[in-house]
Structure formats: structure tokens, C-alpha cells
């Protein structure tokens, strides 16, 4: 399996993710960074715990990256998703793409984050400043027949 | 057939355990596995039709299972 899609427990360096795309023929590169914020549905949040079905998540993330590469028209797409305990301000996901022109890079990075939200087997538990922890409501993945 | 069953997030909290080995009759489907789980303590509230994966691929409840399969019950996902 290629290394364009990875689940990691280590802190993500967004600049390093961006540095993995780009080519002489590419006039555009886009980096999306998902960051833990300090609020959710009216609650003050301290941090999140991300959990993945590791083996399946790596496969699904690579499938998503492959679909994005088709849309992009170049293979220059990289996505890294972190799991474990993350504090406010820490990076949970970084997605980078490059292409000759900008529309494809904007589209591909957006596609990846939207598909992650729809079907990546990852869950997050939020920790409120008041000391409560609750799994965040998720999205039911598309049905398969 | 021995089926390795994985539970994540809210489902794991309900069950109190993240991994179970279930013994199911030949010809059992994923739906049969879910029904068997719902009969266990703590899992009565498991949805009748949860999302699931068989051998790490999303699969419908009608999927026939084989000895040694890995079935994961997946709550609604919340990545990113």
C-alpha cells in the first residue's frame, strides 16, 4: 500500500505534509488542516480522544486518497490522520494536494475531508472543561448492498 | 464457526469489552451475529441494523459469515 494515507499517534507537522506534494508542473498546492477547537455544541472542550479501527481505517483512508487523486488528475495527494489524546489547538488531520491549476487542488482536499467525515472508521470522545467525557455524535456511513 | 467480533466507541462502552469471540452455526449471517449480541448484557440497546464491516470492508447485514471472519460493529463515524 502506498504511503499517501496514514493513521498516526504522533503529532502532525502540516508543513511536512504540504512538502510531500508539489511538482514542477503544478501551479497550485492546497493544505487543509483539521484542528481541535475549544467548543462543541455549547460546551467548553478541553480535548478529544480519537479512536480508529486501525487496519480498516488505513485501507479506507487510502481508498479516499485514491479517489481524490482521480479527481485531481495527479497522484500528488497526501493525508495523515492522528489518533489518541489531542488537546485544543492540536492537529487531527492534514491533507495536501497539488495540481497544475488551483480548482483541482481545492476540490481534492475538500473531497478527502468530506469523505473522512462520511466513512472513515474513526470516532472521537470530547472532554469538557467540567470533566465530562462523551462520544461525539457521528454520521452513519453509506449503506452497502 | 468462530467469529472474532470487534466493538468500538459507544458499542464498546455498552458491552464493557472491545473484542469477543462468538461461536455461530454454519450459514449464519451478520444479522444473526447482531441478534446474538443484542441478547447479551449491556447490548440490548445496540441498534438492530448497525453499520458493520466484515474482514475490514463495509458489508450489509445479509452477509454470510465464514469461520475465522472478523466482524466489527461501527457506531456512526466521527473522524476528521
Amino acid at each position: 500500500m502506498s504511503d499517501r494515507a496514514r493513521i498516526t499517534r504522533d503529532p502532525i507537522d502540516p508543513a511536512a505534509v504540504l512538502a510531500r506534494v508539489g511538482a514542477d508542473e503544478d501551479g497550485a498546492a492546497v493544505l487543509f488542516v483539521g484542528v481541535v477547537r475549544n467548543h462543541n455544541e455549547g460546551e467548553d472542550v478541553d480535548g478529544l480522544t480519537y479512536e480508529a479501527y486501525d487496519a480498516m481505517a488505513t485501507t479506507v483512508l487510502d481508498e479516499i486518497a485514491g479517489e481524490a487523486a482521480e479527481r485531481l488528475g495527479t497522484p500528488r495527494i497526501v493525508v495523515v490522520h492522528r489518533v489518541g489524546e489531542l488537546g485544543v489547538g492540536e492537529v487531527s488531520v492534514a491533507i495536501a494536494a497539488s495540481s497544475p491549476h488551483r480548482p483541482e487542488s481545492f476540490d481534492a482536499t475538500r473531497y478527502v475531508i468530506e469523505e473522512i467525515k462520511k466513512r472513515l472508521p474513526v470516532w472521537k470522545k470530547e472532554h469538557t472543561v467540567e470533566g465530562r467525557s462523551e462520544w461525539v455524535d457521528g454520521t452513519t456511513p453509506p449503506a452497502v448492498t | 464457526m468462530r467469529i472474532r467480533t470487534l466493538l468500538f466507541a459507544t458499542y464498546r462502552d455498552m458491552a464493557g469489552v472491545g473484542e469477543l469471540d462468538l461461536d455461530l452455526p454454519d450459514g449464519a449471517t451478520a444479522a444473526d451475529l447482531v441478534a446474538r449480541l443484542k441478547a447479551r448484557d449491556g447490548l440490548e440497546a445496540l441498534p438492530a441494523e448497525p453499520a458493520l464491516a466484515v474482514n475490514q470492508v463495509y458489508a450489509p447485514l445479509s452477509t454470510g459469515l465464514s469461520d475465522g471472519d472478523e466482524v466489527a460493529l461501527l457506531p456512526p463515524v466521527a473522524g476528521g
Side-chain angles (χ1 to χ4, degrees):
Chain A
M1 186 161 303
S2 69
D3 58 1
R4 65 187 170 190
R6 211 161 41 92
I7 309 280
T8 183
R9 298 205 151 256
D10 298 327
I12 293 172
D13 176 359
V17 174
L18 180 59
R20 293 182 56 202
V21 300
D24 288 348
E25 58 263 47
D26 289 344
V30 172
L31 171 68
F32 171 82
V33 179
V35 179
V36 177
R37 63 174 189 266
N38 67 356
H39 62 98
N40 189 42
E41 296 186 343
E43 304 265 16
D44 296 325
V45 170
D46 244 356
L48 295 174
T49 302
Y50 280 90
E51 167 185 320
Y53 179 8
D54 289 316
M56 184 179 174
T58 306
T59 304
V60 173
L61 198 57
D62 188 67
E63 281 169 6
I64 292 172
E67 291 159 18
E70 291 277 326
R71 297 165 74 99
L72 190 57
T74 84
R76 295 181 284 281
I77 179 120
V78 173
V79 51
V80 184
H81 196 307
R82 187 174 168 201
V83 295
E85 310 279 340
L86 274 69
V88 170
E90 293 196 77
V91 175
S92 55
V93 59
I95 306 162
S98 68
S99 50
H101 302 284
R102 65 190 180 282
E104 290 76 12
S105 285
F106 279 121
D107 171 77
T109 47
R110 179 107 203 222
Y111 179 82
V112 172
I113 187 61
E114 300 303 334
E115 289 302 304
I116 283 173
K117 298 271 180 191
K118 285 184 197 163
R119 68 194 231 234
L120 190 68
V122 167
W123 301 270
K124 54 186 178 249
K125 192 173 216 179
E126 77 185 15
H127 310 293
T128 66
V129 299
E130 281 148 4
R132 272 190 338 275
S133 293
E134 250 182 64
W135 292 102
V136 172
D137 284 341
T139 304
T140 300
V144 281
T145 43
Chain B
M1 310 184 284
R2 217 175 78 185
I3 307 295
R4 184 170 179 235
T5 304
L6 303 179
L7 297 163
F8 290 91
T10 50
Y11 300 167
R12 186 187 57 249
D13 286 356
M14 282 180 201
V17 65
E19 223 176 283
L20 294 164
D21 279 336
L22 296 184
D23 191 30
L24 293 171
D26 286 345
T29 63
D32 295 327
L33 181 145
V34 173
R36 175 78 69 87
L37 286 173
K38 280 176 71 64
R40 291 176 71 103
D41 281 343
L43 285 173
E44 304 84 4
L46 192 67
E49 302 194 342
L52 53 90
V54 176
N55 299 328
Q56 300 170 16
V57 177
Y58 282 112
L61 282 156
S62 56
T63 305
L65 300 176
S66 306
D67 186 47
D69 277 349
E70 176 175 292
V71 178
L73 268 66
L74 311 174
V77 299

